[in-house]
Amino acid sequence: MPKIVFVETDGTEKEFEVADGLSVLEAAHKNGVDLEGACEGSLACSTCHVVLDEEWFDKLEEPSEDEEDMLDLAFGLTETSRLGCQIIMSDELDGLRVMLPAATRNMMVDK
Protein backbone atom coordinates (compact mmCIF):
# COMPACT_ATOMS: atom_id res chain seq x y z
CA MET A 1 0.00 0.00 0.00
CA PRO A 2 1.30 3.46 -0.86
CA LYS A 3 2.11 5.99 1.84
CA ILE A 4 0.94 9.58 1.88
CA VAL A 5 2.29 12.43 3.99
CA PHE A 6 0.00 15.32 4.90
CA VAL A 7 1.82 18.49 5.96
CA GLU A 8 -0.41 20.66 8.12
CA THR A 9 -0.25 24.45 8.17
CA ASP A 10 1.96 24.40 11.28
CA GLY A 11 4.46 22.06 9.59
CA THR A 12 3.31 18.93 11.41
CA GLU A 13 3.62 15.87 9.18
CA LYS A 14 1.23 12.92 9.35
CA GLU A 15 2.05 9.79 7.37
CA PHE A 16 -0.44 7.04 6.56
CA GLU A 17 -0.61 3.91 4.45
CA VAL A 18 -3.62 4.05 2.14
CA ALA A 19 -5.24 1.65 -0.28
CA ASP A 20 -4.64 1.93 -4.01
CA GLY A 21 -7.52 3.71 -5.70
CA LEU A 22 -8.34 6.08 -2.84
CA SER A 23 -8.26 9.78 -3.60
CA VAL A 24 -6.15 12.11 -1.47
CA LEU A 25 -9.44 13.53 -0.15
CA GLU A 26 -10.69 10.07 0.88
CA ALA A 27 -7.32 9.26 2.47
CA ALA A 28 -7.53 12.48 4.49
CA HIS A 29 -11.06 11.74 5.70
CA LYS A 30 -10.27 8.11 6.60
CA ASN A 31 -7.32 9.27 8.71
CA GLY A 32 -8.82 12.30 10.46
CA VAL A 33 -6.90 14.90 8.45
CA ASP A 34 -8.70 18.26 8.25
CA LEU A 35 -9.32 18.54 4.50
CA GLU A 36 -12.85 19.77 3.90
CA GLY A 37 -14.16 18.39 0.59
CA ALA A 38 -17.55 20.13 0.76
CA CYS A 39 -18.80 18.57 -2.49
CA GLU A 40 -17.64 15.10 -1.37
CA GLY A 41 -15.34 14.70 -4.35
CA SER A 42 -17.79 15.54 -7.13
CA LEU A 43 -15.52 18.25 -8.58
CA ALA A 44 -17.98 21.02 -7.69
CA CYS A 45 -15.87 23.04 -5.22
CA SER A 46 -12.26 23.82 -4.33
CA THR A 47 -12.29 22.97 -0.62
CA CYS A 48 -10.01 19.94 -1.04
CA HIS A 49 -7.29 22.14 -2.54
CA VAL A 50 -3.79 20.89 -1.69
CA VAL A 51 -0.32 22.02 -2.68
CA LEU A 52 2.26 19.54 -3.93
CA ASP A 53 6.03 19.64 -4.12
CA GLU A 54 7.04 20.26 -7.74
CA GLU A 55 8.53 16.77 -8.10
CA TRP A 56 5.18 15.17 -7.18
CA PHE A 57 3.18 17.65 -9.23
CA ASP A 58 5.16 16.69 -12.33
CA LYS A 59 4.39 12.97 -11.81
CA LEU A 60 0.64 13.50 -12.07
CA GLU A 61 -1.43 13.68 -15.21
CA GLU A 62 -2.43 17.18 -16.27
CA PRO A 63 -5.53 18.47 -14.45
CA SER A 64 -8.75 18.35 -16.44
CA GLU A 65 -10.39 21.56 -17.60
CA ASP A 66 -13.08 21.06 -14.93
CA GLU A 67 -10.43 20.74 -12.21
CA GLU A 68 -8.66 23.87 -13.48
CA ASP A 69 -11.97 25.76 -13.35
CA MET A 70 -12.47 24.76 -9.72
CA LEU A 71 -8.85 25.51 -8.83
CA ASP A 72 -9.40 29.07 -10.04
CA LEU A 73 -11.72 29.46 -7.03
CA ALA A 74 -9.20 28.11 -4.50
CA PHE A 75 -7.78 30.33 -1.79
CA GLY A 76 -3.97 30.57 -1.92
CA LEU A 77 -3.62 28.97 -5.35
CA THR A 78 -0.05 28.04 -6.34
CA GLU A 79 1.57 26.66 -9.48
CA THR A 80 1.53 23.18 -7.92
CA SER A 81 -2.03 23.28 -6.57
CA ARG A 82 -4.38 20.38 -7.22
CA LEU A 83 -7.70 19.16 -5.88
CA GLY A 84 -7.34 16.24 -3.50
CA CYS A 85 -10.42 14.55 -4.93
CA GLN A 86 -8.67 14.27 -8.31
CA ILE A 87 -5.42 12.66 -7.15
CA ILE A 88 -5.84 8.89 -7.00
CA MET A 89 -3.30 7.00 -4.90
CA SER A 90 -1.26 4.23 -6.50
CA ASP A 91 2.11 2.56 -5.96
CA GLU A 92 3.61 5.19 -8.30
CA LEU A 93 2.61 7.85 -5.76
CA ASP A 94 4.11 6.04 -2.75
CA GLY A 95 5.47 8.75 -0.44
CA LEU A 96 3.31 11.55 -1.90
CA ARG A 97 3.58 14.74 0.20
CA VAL A 98 0.66 17.15 0.19
CA MET A 99 0.60 20.48 1.97
CA LEU A 100 -2.69 21.70 3.37
CA PRO A 101 -3.39 25.36 2.58
CA ALA A 102 -3.85 27.92 5.34
CA ALA A 103 -7.52 28.40 4.41
CA THR A 104 -10.20 27.27 2.00
CA ARG A 105 -12.96 29.08 0.20
CA ASN A 106 -16.36 27.40 0.44
CA MET A 107 -18.76 29.24 -1.86
CA MET A 108 -21.75 27.61 -0.15
CA VAL A 109 -20.76 29.13 3.21
CA ASP A 110 -18.59 32.16 2.32
CA LYS A 111 -21.32 34.35 0.85
Side-chain angles (χ1 to χ4, degrees):
M1 286 199 299
K3 292 182 182 170
I4 186 170
V5 178
F6 291 97
V7 182
E8 303 209 357
T9 56
D10 65 1
T12 303
E13 295 188 9
K14 296 180 177 179
E15 182 177 302
F16 304 99
E17 284 190 349
V18 298
D20 280 349
L22 278 186
S23 70
V24 167
L25 175 63
E26 292 169 318
H29 288 179
K30 286 187 179 290
N31 290 288
V33 174
D34 189 21
L35 185 60
E36 185 175 348
C39 74
E40 299 178 359
S42 65
L43 199 52
C45 74
S46 63
T47 61
C48 66
H49 165 230
V50 295
V51 179
L52 305 174
D53 290 330
E54 192 168 331
E55 69 178 275
W56 287 110
F57 182 83
D58 292 340
K59 291 181 181 183
L60 299 175
E61 291 184 25
E62 293 286 319
S64 68
E65 188 173 321
D66 288 340
E67 182 180 359
E68 288 180 349
D69 289 345
M70 288 296 106
L71 280 168
D72 287 341
L73 304 174
F75 181 84
L77 188 66
T78 73
E79 290 186 16
T80 60
S81 290
R82 293 294 301 263
L83 296 180
C85 67
Q86 298 301 296
I87 303 170
I88 306 302
M89 293 302 297
S90 65
D91 288 336
E92 291 79 29
L93 295 180
D94 184 34
L96 178 68
R97 288 174 46 87
V98 297
M99 278 71 69
L100 303 179
T104 62
R105 182 174 291 142
N106 185 339
M107 299 309 233
M108 300 305 290
V109 175
D110 299 339
K111 291 183 180 183

